[in-house]
Amino acid sequence: MNLFEQVALAIQAMLRTLRLFPKPVLWVPWLVLGSVQLAIVALLWGFAHPAVSWFMAPLLTRVAGAEVLRYPNLMSAMPDLFSRVDLAIGTLLGSVMIGAATVMFAEQFRGGRPRAGVALREALRRGGSLILAQLPFNVAVVGLSTLLDGWLLRRGGGGLTGRLLEFGLIAGPVVIQSLFLYVAALVMIERRSALSALAALPRTWARGFWAGLALGFTPLVLLLPLHALSDRAALLVNRGDPELVGWLVTLEVVASLGVWFLLAGSATLVYLGAMANPDDGWAP
């Protein structure tokens, strides 16, 4: 498949997945993930409440220093603190939920009836493979972001170099994601181990890399405004709107769940239509 055919397939996959948004059962994996993420937001936001302050205050002091306990310093630091925890949540629980969602979307697109309990149990059984198979992606994204952030900090944000580094911070993770986008399908649909799934990834690039790139950049546009606002948390606090930071982080979590729903469903359909073996029960 050439570039234009893959982009057209990606667009069709997104449109079909968007039509599934009102289907409650397909949201179950994302509700599990979102519940944990929102619980973390609540703990950070309400760290001073007597019910949780006995462990949150020492933990925050160890992680971010004693100054963070003074209102409204915590609100300024909340986006960064949440992103640190969310990285671990995404690497572990997120990888498993992507696997469960892949099974459910595959069943839906095949004309079957997706069952959340069955999909979640299967993803948990294969959780080790899912986490290990997606670990190189998570490590690569963190490594690239850290490297580019360091260069940007040393060189400053001005000039052509600064703009290129800023673009790299946005485009780099999407390119890496495109390389690993179908690994969950290889583990859950083709029943591969982590190493086998990683070894099989190059097979997906010829027929799905450009589609993956289109899938990655399109939802990213939806999140960029929220990311930009979260990056200006200190400014919001200084303007006298510290609680707005908490609501922005909450909104970002909710929006991210919608983006992951769209991305997982679209990636599954692209995989089934362009890469799946006939023995897997799908005839493109």
Side-chain angles (χ1 to χ4, degrees):
M1 297 179 70
N2 61 37
L3 184 154
F4 298 104
E5 290 172 331
Q6 290 189 37
V7 171
L9 178 59
I11 293 172
Q12 293 174 8
M14 283 190 285
L15 291 175
R16 286 192 60 180
T17 303
L18 281 171
R19 291 200 290 268
L20 297 176
F21 265 55
K23 198 173 181 64
V25 68
L26 295 175
W27 283 97
V28 171
W30 311 114
L31 292 177
V32 173
L33 179 61
S35 297
V36 176
Q37 291 173 315
L38 291 176
I40 297 300
V41 174
L43 285 172
L44 290 172
W45 201 341
F47 79 95
H49 192 282
V52 297
S53 62
W54 61 273
F55 74 91
M56 284 300 296
L59 181 61
L60 288 171
T61 300
R62 177 174 296 183
V63 171
E67 287 297 315
V68 79
L69 302 182
R70 296 182 181 178
Y71 187 85
N73 293 349
L74 187 280
M75 305 310 292
S76 298
M78 182 185 286
D80 180 62
L81 291 172
F82 175 75
S83 67
R84 293 192 213 177
V85 180
D86 193 46
L87 177 62
I89 294 173
T91 300
L92 300 175
L93 181 61
S95 296
V96 177
M97 291 303 105
I98 290 171
T102 298
V103 171
M104 296 178 70
F105 278 120
E107 189 66 24
Q108 176 70 36
F109 290 131
R110 286 166 167 163
R113 183 179 178 183
R115 292 175 291 173
V118 173
L120 288 171
R121 286 193 294 271
E122 180 63 20
L124 286 171
R125 280 196 294 269
R126 302 188 63 78
S129 294
L130 286 166
I131 292 169
L132 290 174
Q134 295 178 80
L135 186 60
F137 160 71
N138 290 309
V139 171
V141 168
V142 172
L144 178 65
S145 298
T146 302
L147 183 64
L148 293 180
D149 266 332
W151 283 350
L152 191 60
L153 188 63
R154 289 193 299 271
R155 294 174 177 269
L160 178 60
T161 301
R163 286 194 291 272
L164 288 174
L165 289 174
E166 290 174 352
F167 178 75
L169 284 170
I170 297 172
V174 177
V175 174
I176 297 172
Q177 177 182 266
S178 302
L179 296 173
F180 289 89
L181 189 61
Y182 310 104
V183 74
L186 293 172
V187 172
M188 298 304 295
I189 297 175
E190 294 193 13
R191 316 286 295 175
R192 292 178 177 267
S193 67
L195 289 177
S196 176
L198 291 171
L201 272 178
R203 171 170 66 84
T204 70
W205 297 339
R207 300 181 64 84
F209 173 77
W210 296 113
L213 207 57
L215 292 177
F217 272 110
T218 301
L220 180 66
V221 174
L222 303 175
L223 293 178
L224 277 178
L226 291 175
H227 283 316
L229 285 172
S230 293
D231 288 342
R232 289 163 175 79
L235 180 60
L236 293 173
V237 171
N238 291 335
R239 286 183 175 181
D241 296 314
E243 301 302 317
L244 184 57
V245 175
W247 290 114
L248 278 173
V249 174
T250 302
L251 181 58
E252 193 170 354
V253 168
V254 174
S256 296
L257 294 176
V259 166
W260 275 109
F261 182 106
L262 177 62
L263 188 59
S266 302
T268 302
L269 184 55
V270 170
Y271 168 82
L272 291 174
M275 287 161 264
N277 296 319
D279 292 341
D280 295 320
W282 176 263

